[in-house]
Amino acid sequence: MSTAPVNCPPRVLALIPPMTQLNTPYPSTAYLTGFLRSQGVVAMQADIALELVLELFSPAGLDALRSGIEALPKKKRSPLAAGFLEHFSLYRSRIGPTLAFLQGRDPSLALRIASRTFLPEGPRFDSLDAYVAEAGEDPLAWAFGALGIQDRARHLATLFLDDLADLLREVADPRFEFVRYAESLAQSQPSFDPLAQALAAPPTLVDTTLERLSLAAIERHAPTLVLLSTPFPGTVYGAFRMAQAIRARHPELTLVLGGGYVNTELRELAEARVFDFFDYVCLDDGERPLLALLEHQKGLRPRERLVRTFTRIAGQVRYFAGDEPDIPFAEVGTPTWDGLPLDRYLSVLDMLNPMHRLWSDGRWNKLTVAHGCYWKKCSFCDVSLDYIGRYDTASAALLVERMEAIIAETHQTGFHFVDEAAPPKALRALAEEILRRELVVSWWGNIRFEKSFTPELCELLAESGCIAISGGLEVASDRLLRRMQKGVSVEQVARVTHAFSEAGILVHAYLMYGFPTQTVQDTVDALEYVRQLFQEGCIQSGFFHRFTCTVHSPVGMDPAAYGITLKPLPPGKFARNDVPFSDPTGVDHGLLGQGLNKALYNYMHGIGLDEDVRAWFDTRVPKPTVGKHRIARALQTSCQA
């Protein structure tokens, strides 16, 4: 039991539930811990997601996995499981050194891993061997060359972990993923029943490990209030399982749920069973709601004056909105990573594309240039929600002071700016301040491909340390971009991305298909534009995702204006976000998506850029109406101007 006295000052523990990412901490707890400490609150944090992975993928974790396999009848063991048992001593002896290598603690091991004689190889390695058999060459030699031993080894080590994760799903918990863990239990799930049934089921190996780690964190920090931050649907099951264990052992503690998932999907929460696990559920930025809650617990504020907080009263869910303003962005303080084991995160390398790998490779200090989005017009985006709709800035001097403080704490000079779209004016001021102080940093972030990003500004950003940017090209169709109110054209995107690339900055494009009224011709033309952007060196990376209509977006709030009809949502008291709809075009976007993703994967590796885009689709599609040199001409016109 907790040893904290009943009337002691509050001690807040913020926990990251599984799963977020392996290479760097998710920033929500760092933001809140830094803010609460600036207010004189004793605040701590722990990354249970990382702890879970390190525990499962350890000699002891593999021992438990072997026991699970041995409990199965031999006829039910897959080839992967049989191979694991046959080479168990090798798996067990290699797991610790491999994790140490991925943590950057033993770089000399790269040569042994890269030799492909050190690690046992399961099905995840088959694609490498198939490539060698078909092409007659090593794909890793093509990707990394003769000198890229560290990267080659990191990719092989990542495949080794993927094999073990496949085995864990097969034997211990079919829901386990390094990301999107048990996602279907929470994503746009109107009923709480699937999650409740999973939580009532006998615990799996993953569950028991997670429960043990959660309770150990409580004993270690002795909090009075525990925050669980759920940024994605794939963190919700883990958060509830953690809360279940904490509540059973420590019923005296106050448990609070928040995070990006809550902010988007639980805004109309009416499910009373949620409060069997949590005392409070808070919306939007947590600073103001948490201050109000702490005052309430001290007896300084009545419950009716809580801010953007759900709770259960007499068996019914009640929401207290409050009317107090949020903490200004300039006053939220500096994030702190104190308490997080920064030397234990894993730099995995699952994508060979140099831009795409930034999301999973390397440890980045997460920071925000401005709160919300300065544009906030895109029709597919949740512009009605606070995290996008409330735009608020801070001075460049203050931002660089935060960067300097973070560098002093973490000894890391890499920053990932996690804005929805960092404003060009703010980025210019930030770059100038970085250069004025002669601060050496590397940074990347998300922007809009707008004309303010001139070649001169791109050069300035590169000089200040910008190594990569990402932004939304979305449908790559001028007609649909206008319908989206994106505020850019395809040719403008070409010129802006080319300016970034010419400055030596890697460019990633977010791409979309299936937007309302998008035809097959639109999709084929969009892929032709994308092919040309890769061919002209404008972008180096991209990702196609299927359009999803959400209740908080302009499309979801006014579907008739976009030519669609929303389908009724099933009744429920839990999550509400994605909305199915009927599009009069009747296009099978799922079938087209396979071709789009196949093409993009090859383009990112420099393959197939001269082929007709129709070759990527398994079904007959029309010829592109876009001229084969449309992007090249746009760039030439820009140079002449």
Side-chain angles (χ1 to χ4, degrees):
M1 295 292 290
S2 172
T3 58
V6 174
N7 296 318
C8 70
R11 292 172 56 87
V12 179
L13 174 61
L15 299 177
I16 304 174
M19 297 294 295
T20 52
Q21 57 188 121
L22 299 179
N23 62 310
T24 199
Y26 193 79
S28 56
T29 63
Y31 282 30
L32 289 175
T33 302
F35 170 74
L36 290 172
R37 289 184 182 181
S38 75
Q39 301 296 305
V41 177
V42 178
M44 305 148 289
Q45 60 187 324
D47 190 341
I48 305 301
L50 176 68
E51 292 183 23
L52 177 66
V53 169
L54 296 181
E55 185 77 11
L56 292 172
F57 297 90
S58 68
L62 297 193
D63 287 342
L65 194 54
R66 179 178 67 170
S67 297
I69 296 172
E70 290 176 338
L72 295 173
K74 287 187 177 181
K75 62 182 180 180
K76 289 189 176 182
R77 297 175 189 173
S78 70
L80 176 60
F84 176 77
L85 290 182
E86 181 181 356
H87 301 288
F88 176 74
S89 61
L90 191 61
Y91 275 98
R92 194 181 193 280
S93 66
R94 297 305 194 243
I95 188 64
T98 300
L99 291 188
F101 168 72
L102 290 173
Q103 291 166 335
R105 294 188 289 114
D106 192 4
S108 63
L109 194 63
L111 287 164
R112 294 197 66 189
I113 295 176
S115 71
R116 294 193 66 181
T117 60
F118 180 74
L119 296 176
E121 298 186 356
R124 290 285 187 151
F125 291 80
D126 291 348
S127 60
L128 299 181
D129 296 329
Y131 188 98
V132 172
E134 181 176 345
E137 61 180 349
D138 181 359
L140 300 187
W142 166 82
F144 302 125
L147 298 179
I149 298 299
Q150 291 287 329
D151 283 351
R152 178 197 295 254
R154 197 143 67 245
H155 184 61
L156 292 168
T158 302
L159 295 177
F160 174 65
L161 290 186
D162 287 338
D163 268 333
L164 289 173
D166 291 342
L167 185 61
L168 188 65
R169 276 189 294 277
E170 182 182 304
V171 175
D173 191 335
R175 300 167 303 211
F176 180 81
E177 297 281 353
F178 287 130
V179 292
R180 299 191 174 100
Y181 172 41
E183 184 180 66
S184 63
L185 296 177
Q187 186 172 33
S188 296
Q189 181 60 257
S191 172
F192 188 69
D193 288 347
L195 189 55
Q197 291 165 7
L199 293 165
T204 66
L205 171 63
V206 177
D207 293 333
T208 56
T209 306
L210 179 59
E211 291 168 358
R212 175 164 47 81
L213 293 171
S214 301
L215 294 175
I218 299 300
E219 297 299 328
R220 190 163 63 246
H221 296 287
T224 59
L225 186 149
V226 180
L227 310 175
L228 286 107
S229 176
T230 53
F232 316 116
T235 60
V236 174
Y237 172 76
F240 273 82
R241 179 63 79 170
M242 291 166 64
Q244 182 183 54
I246 294 169
R247 171 139 290 175
R249 182 74 62 87
H250 298 281
E252 76 283 3
L253 296 183
T254 299
L255 298 176
V256 183
L257 179 68
Y261 168 81
V262 173
N263 300 339
T264 54
E265 304 221 14
L266 299 188
R267 302 195 75 86
E268 299 178 25
L269 179 64
E271 176 55 75
R273 288 177 291 175
V274 168
F275 299 93
D276 293 338
F277 303 85
F278 294 95
D279 298 286
Y280 301 96
V281 175
C282 296
L283 295 181
D284 301 325
D285 286 0
E287 289 88 356
R288 181 64 74 188
L290 285 174
L291 288 183
L293 181 56
L294 291 171
E295 288 182 2
H296 169 60
Q297 292 201 306
K298 292 177 183 177
L300 303 176
R301 175 186 292 254
R303 182 169 55 189
E304 290 71 23
R305 289 190 55 231
L306 291 174
V307 177
R308 296 194 304 275
T309 299
F310 291 97
T311 191
R312 183 172 61 186
I313 301 175
Q316 299 297 314
V317 178
R318 291 280 306 278
Y319 178 65
F320 300 100
D323 57 359
E324 297 170 48
D326 280 286
I327 307 297
F329 180 63
E331 299 176 15
V332 295
T334 301
T336 178
W337 281 264
D338 178 46
L340 299 179
L342 300 183
D343 61 341
R344 301 187 70 202
Y345 286 86
L346 305 169
S347 282
V348 297
L349 185 50
D350 49 4
M351 280 289 289
L352 306 185
N353 175 273
M355 173 68 202
H356 208 96
R357 63 185 281 186
L358 289 177
W359 277 271
S360 61
D361 183 18
R363 215 206 63 70
W364 302 95
N365 298 312
K366 308 271 189 176
L367 197 60
T368 309
V369 175
H371 184 283
C373 178
Y374 68 98
W375 179 251
K376 54 187 175 187
K377 294 180 183 179
C378 298
S379 58
F380 57 84
C381 196
D382 292 340
V383 295
S384 64
L385 299 185
D386 177 81
Y387 80 99
I388 292 175
R390 181 170 59 86
Y391 180 60
D392 191 11
T393 62
S395 70
L398 179 58
L399 290 173
V400 177
E401 286 171 8
R402 288 176 178 173
M403 294 173 72
E404 290 175 329
I406 291 169
I407 291 170
E409 178 184 273
T410 66
H411 307 291
Q412 299 281 339
T413 60
F415 286 84
H416 177 198
F417 295 127
V418 294
D419 300 67
E420 294 301 310
K425 184 178 179 180
L427 287 180
R428 177 183 288 275
L430 180 67
E432 291 172 344
E433 185 69 13
I434 288 172
L435 292 170
R436 188 184 70 80
R437 299 191 188 202
E438 298 183 342
L439 185 65
V440 177
V441 294
S442 303
W443 62 269
W444 58 292
N446 198 51
I447 63 162
R448 292 180 62 249
F449 292 130
E450 63 167 75
K451 60 184 179 182
S452 299
F453 288 105
T454 62
E456 176 270 332
L457 178 53
C458 293
E459 291 284 355
L460 176 68
L461 299 182
E463 188 181 356
S464 74
C466 180
I467 58 171
I469 56 95
S470 57
L473 173 55
E474 315 308 350
V475 288
S477 159
D478 286 336
R479 176 184 76 83
L480 292 173
L481 285 171
R482 287 191 296 271
R483 196 172 183 85
M484 284 182 169
Q485 299 188 59
K486 187 69 184 175
V488 300
S489 67
V490 175
E491 291 191 358
Q492 178 182 309
V493 169
R495 288 188 283 267
V496 170
T497 54
H498 190 261
F500 275 110
S501 294
E502 286 292 290
I505 297 171
L506 295 170
V507 181
H508 174 88
Y510 292 110
L511 301 158
M512 182 187 296
Y513 66 100
F515 190 75
T517 73
Q518 184 171 3
T519 64
V520 175
Q521 185 69 66
D522 287 327
T523 302
V524 173
D525 287 349
L527 185 57
E528 175 60 23
Y529 275 126
V530 170
R531 182 193 69 80
Q532 293 182 32
L533 288 169
F534 273 100
Q535 189 175 52
E536 297 299 325
C538 296
I539 61 177
Q540 292 75 46
S541 175
F543 180 75
F544 267 111
H545 67 94
R546 176 78 175 267
F547 167 76
T548 300
C549 181
T550 67
V551 295
H552 311 295
S553 68
V555 175
M557 293 186 289
D558 187 11
Y562 297 89
I564 61 171
T565 304
L566 300 185
K567 297 180 180 179
L569 286 170
K573 299 179 179 181
F574 190 49
R576 183 171 180 265
N577 191 45
D578 298 354
V579 190
F581 63 92
S582 297
D583 188 332
T585 60
V587 176
D588 185 349
H589 294 293
L591 184 61
L592 294 174
Q594 298 172 18
L596 293 173
N597 288 311
K598 187 191 302 182
L600 197 59
Y601 179 83
N602 283 276
Y603 293 165
M604 287 194 293
H605 292 81
I607 301 171
L609 291 172
D610 295 322
E611 293 187 20
D612 189 316
V613 296
R614 290 175 290 178
W616 300 110
F617 298 100
D618 293 331
T619 186
R620 187 179 180 85
V621 296
K623 180 181 179 179
T625 62
V626 178
K628 285 187 174 294
H629 305 289
R630 177 77 174 275
I631 297 300
R633 284 198 297 270
L635 297 177
Q636 186 177 21
T637 302
S638 174
C639 291
Q640 291 172 349

